[in-house]
Amino acid sequence: MSARLVVVCGYPVAGKSTMVRGLAEALGAHALDIDALRRLILGVPHPCPNESKELMELDKTQMLMSYRLMLQGAASHLQLGKALVITATFSRKSYRIMLKDMMDQIGRKRPEAQLRVVQCVLESASAQAEDDEVRRR
């Protein structure tokens, strides 16, 4: 397996984690889930970060730290010529820029390194049901 990063992104509950497990197994690659990494390194996040400005700021800081850690791990795999499949929403433009910058740096050292992005989307009926559930909560 050559230096390859597969990024599976999309909205919560879109099936990213399930897809990552299957892709990693099929490719013989390691898998890394940003939520699992965050819990491992920073502990369980607050269930309702929107309750206060302080909690929202803490959540934002912890997610930024988690993306940095995940992308550092991805860079290490690529530098070693290994494959990795990662999952995260990549909902913020700043996270996507971090990914691009990391791949630009890796590309200078390992021009053969590949990036593939898979976006999971919800079907409209499922998306509507999820929106309704979020509003109900």
Side-chain angles (χ1 to χ4, degrees):
M1 177 57 59
S2 61
R4 179 185 300 169
L5 176 62
V6 179
V7 175
V8 179
C9 59
Y11 289 110
V13 305
K16 297 182 303 294
S17 296
T18 302
M19 180 173 282
V20 163
R21 285 190 297 272
L23 278 173
E25 184 177 329
L27 296 172
H30 288 107
L32 184 57
D33 181 306
I34 195 164
D35 293 330
L37 176 67
R38 181 179 179 181
R39 284 189 299 275
L40 178 68
I41 303 297
L42 301 170
V44 177
H46 192 281
C48 301
N50 294 337
E51 287 181 353
S52 71
K53 186 174 182 176
E54 292 81 17
L55 286 173
M56 286 173 44
E57 197 59 37
L58 176 64
D59 188 67
K60 184 178 176 182
T61 299
Q62 288 183 347
M63 282 308 301
L64 178 59
M65 292 171 67
S66 299
Y67 272 90
R68 285 181 178 156
L69 285 168
M70 181 180 64
L71 292 174
Q72 286 174 353
S76 295
H77 268 74
L78 293 171
Q79 287 171 352
L80 293 170
K82 295 184 176 184
L84 181 66
V85 183
I86 63 174
T87 181
T89 63
F90 281 92
S91 58
R92 294 182 183 270
K93 184 176 182 179
S94 60
Y95 302 153
R96 296 187 298 273
I97 290 170
M98 289 168 54
L99 173 63
K100 181 192 177 302
D101 291 347
M102 185 269 298
M103 286 304 298
D104 287 345
Q105 285 182 329
I106 294 297
R108 287 191 283 278
K109 297 174 187 174
R110 292 195 72 102
E112 77 281 6
Q114 298 177 9
L115 170 66
R116 298 290 184 260
V117 178
V118 177
Q119 185 172 11
C120 292
V121 294
L122 296 170
E123 294 181 22
S124 59
S126 298
Q128 184 61 47
E130 177 64 20
D131 286 346
D132 292 345
E133 178 64 18
V134 169
R135 284 191 194 105
R136 186 185 66 76
R137 291 181 195 170

